[in-house]
Amino acid sequence: MKRLSKTLALVSFAGLATTVSLAGCGDQNSDAGKTDDAARMSGGGTTVFDQSSHAFTLPAPGLTAEEDELHLEGDAAFEAQFVTAPAEVNPGLGPVFNNNSCNSCHIRNGRGMPRLSAGALRSQLLIRVSLADGEVDPTAGNAPVPGLGFQIQDHAVYGEEPDAYTSLEWEEIPGEYADGTPYSLRKPVVSVELPDGSSLPDNVLTSLRQPPPIFGLGLLEEVPEETLLALADPDDADGDGISGRPNYVWSVREQQAVIGRFGLKANQPDLEQQSAAAYHDDMGVTNPVFPGENGTTEIDQNTLDASTFYSQSLGVPARRRIDDPLVLQGEKLFEQVGCADCHTPTLETGDSDIEVLANQTFHAYTDLLLHDMGEGLADKRPDFEADGYEWRTPPLWGVGLTQTVLPGSGYLHDGRARTLEEAILWHGGEAEAARNQFRDELDASEREALVAFLQSL
């Protein structure tokens, strides 16, 4: 089932030039005259043509006037900086928090920077925690740590003390390609000191997380569940060494476990809950999905709806350099070494209440499934059904614009990789065979070609 689905996905991508709709490319596209080249349409009809530092900030073309207005309201909500209550504008921050606005972590909607602690400029990393041996809360997928819950808020409003004081150092790990070319990988070393000066107890599990990009999420939300289940192969029935499986997580709205799609371990079911959790956990702002005591909220449903719609309706940057021979060679190598076994090139949406998202063919390079990524990337902390070695396959669309949008952004779940090459070299587990081919069997020019392909996405 999985192999057939992936084959169909690749065939679909190859046939894109003749099947994808080009309707809806809006006036904001800086080189809209090139839209006849359908292979560039990473986001189907939601593709935008901007290669600047604002490439991730444009609304999807084709929104209705009413949707455009809601998108702008969401943009404002996304940038709203919360302050200590009481205040006339945006009260409710904290008392402990990780950052004071959505935009502070997702600068220009891209990846975050691997910085941590209250003293770091634009601290964007955070630490999830849980008990290794406690009673699991089925609505959170983990056992809470007394006094901390599920996340360390390492900032606090004036007069309050943060959950803990955090710091981050890097350990360099030298390595070498088979052709003798040296490289160095870096590994995060995190320190956590509680307010009383003690360290975290030994039975506390930690997971360092960096904010991922937020464009194109509306398309991922509209991929039918049966598509994800068809891509899954939890028992590796086809024997290819790839055993992707969905995470099943708690839906507050549905009051039951459903397939997770968002978050680094696919631990959120939909964009409303993802947005509401970020307000509550990252900023300490209560809301209709995660209210405070006695049901009180610090933002209303309209604000939550607007911020959710903003992430649903952002456009996806177009591919670049698609006719470059080096990129074409890299695309073949991407499939040849097995990267495409998890980074599924093409998906399709089903019906949607947002017309521009309905029945789109797009190229996110993800299967939204969990995969064992090996010891090197393991956080050893379960998250609902994801074990301590599994991570969701991250989308690769737009990855080539990462440093244009925010220089200094990191790759992988905790930002440890400074380059795409380092990110590949960290792959293990189900991706170990692909990593080994890249490291040990490709020559320097072939490695350059594969990275060039990634830079074209």
Side-chain angles (χ1 to χ4, degrees):
M1 178 75 79
K2 176 186 63 176
R3 178 60 67 188
L4 175 61
S5 299
K6 288 175 179 174
T7 303
L8 288 172
L10 290 168
V11 169
S12 176
F13 185 55
L16 179 64
T18 58
T19 59
V20 72
S21 170
L22 301 183
C25 296
D27 293 336
Q28 82 274 24
N29 296 339
S30 60
D31 57 354
K34 298 179 181 178
T35 55
D36 58 341
D37 195 343
R40 303 180 71 198
M41 306 294 282
S42 298
T46 72
T47 303
V48 296
F49 292 82
D50 187 307
Q51 300 175 18
S52 74
S53 60
H54 295 284
F56 302 161
T57 66
L58 300 177
L63 297 178
T64 66
E66 183 179 355
E67 290 169 340
D68 264 330
E69 183 176 350
L70 184 57
H71 181 91
L72 290 174
E73 290 177 20
D75 193 356
F78 203 76
E79 295 190 11
Q81 293 194 350
F82 286 87
V83 298
T84 309
E88 292 187 2
V89 178
N90 301 330
L93 180 67
V96 291
F97 60 95
N98 294 104
N99 227 316
N100 64 351
S101 73
C102 305
N103 188 59
S104 295
C105 284
H106 301 278
I107 296 176
R108 290 191 284 274
N109 301 333
R111 294 169 194 274
M113 293 186 290
R115 296 179 179 176
L116 179 71
S117 85
L121 178 65
R122 287 181 168 173
S123 172
Q124 295 179 344
L125 293 171
L126 57 81
I127 304 172
R128 296 277 170 81
V129 293
S130 55
L131 288 179
D133 49 5
E135 182 177 353
V136 173
D137 177 349
T139 67
N142 251 311
V145 179
L148 296 177
F150 299 101
Q151 185 167 311
I152 293 176
Q153 282 96 7
D154 55 1
H155 295 61
V157 300
Y158 180 75
E160 298 288 339
E161 198 157 31
D163 286 341
Y165 299 92
T166 59
S167 62
L168 172 66
E169 295 181 345
W170 299 101
E171 174 187 349
E172 291 290 336
I173 305 171
E176 189 176 279
Y177 288 102
D179 61 11
T181 304
Y183 61 78
S184 182
L185 305 179
R186 67 174 185 177
K187 176 182 178 182
V189 181
V190 173
S191 298
V192 178
E193 180 182 304
L194 298 174
D196 63 4
S198 64
S199 301
L200 288 174
D202 291 339
N203 64 340
V204 175
L205 305 175
T206 63
S207 181
L208 186 64
R209 310 278 179 97
Q210 177 186 266
I214 67 160
F215 63 84
L217 302 186
L219 291 171
L220 299 180
E221 191 169 44
E222 299 295 359
V223 176
E225 182 174 310
E226 52 265 31
T227 298
L228 304 183
L229 295 176
L231 289 169
D233 184 13
D235 300 318
D236 191 21
D238 62 8
D240 68 351
I242 308 297
S243 56
R245 65 191 183 108
N247 199 356
Y248 283 91
V249 305
W250 186 255
S251 167
V252 176
R253 292 295 189 196
E254 298 187 32
Q255 289 293 292
Q256 62 179 345
V258 301
I259 284 183
R261 295 169 185 256
F262 302 105
L264 296 165
K265 283 185 180 263
N267 61 342
Q268 292 292 351
D270 55 53
L271 290 174
E272 184 195 47
Q273 188 165 319
Q274 170 81 0
S275 301
Y279 274 115
H280 185 268
D281 299 339
D282 301 349
M283 294 181 275
V285 176
T286 56
N287 56 74
V289 177
F290 297 108
E293 294 181 2
N294 303 319
T296 57
T297 64
E298 290 159 325
I299 61 169
D300 59 19
Q301 187 64 48
N302 289 338
T303 300
L304 181 59
D305 287 344
S307 62
T308 301
F309 187 77
Y310 179 68
S311 60
Q312 290 173 321
S313 56
L314 284 167
V316 178
R319 275 197 63 190
R320 296 152 296 128
R321 298 172 57 196
I322 58 172
D323 296 323
D324 185 326
L326 188 66
V327 170
L328 292 171
Q329 180 191 7
E331 185 170 10
K332 290 179 181 177
L333 290 167
F334 183 83
E335 183 179 349
Q336 179 182 314
V337 305
C339 305
D341 288 348
C342 299
H343 290 283
T344 304
T346 300
L347 294 171
E348 296 179 357
T349 61
D351 296 333
S352 174
D353 293 335
I354 304 170
E355 187 174 350
V356 72
L357 300 179
N359 304 307
Q360 291 287 342
T361 299
F362 62 98
H363 313 291
Y365 291 86
T366 178
D367 57 10
L368 296 178
L369 300 176
L370 299 171
H371 294 275
D372 179 346
M373 293 303 294
E375 182 72 25
L377 293 177
D379 63 358
K380 311 289 179 70
R381 178 181 180 270
D383 202 334
F384 290 99
E385 294 190 11
D387 68 28
Y389 292 80
E390 291 178 313
W391 298 94
R392 185 198 68 160
T393 306
L396 295 179
W397 52 12
V399 72
L401 291 167
T402 297
Q403 301 305 320
T404 300
V405 170
L406 184 62
S409 300
Y411 303 95
L412 298 176
H413 66 274
D414 53 14
R416 67 177 64 191
R418 292 159 290 196
T419 64
L420 292 172
E421 207 170 308
E422 287 185 26
I424 296 169
L425 291 167
W426 270 110
H427 281 53
E430 296 175 41
E432 183 175 344
R435 185 275 313 276
N436 288 348
Q437 287 194 64
F438 177 79
R439 185 187 61 190
D440 301 334
E441 298 181 21
L442 302 188
D443 61 29
S445 64
E446 291 170 324
R447 296 196 299 268
E448 179 187 2
L450 200 154
V451 172
F453 165 67
L454 296 175
Q455 293 285 6
S456 79
L457 298 179

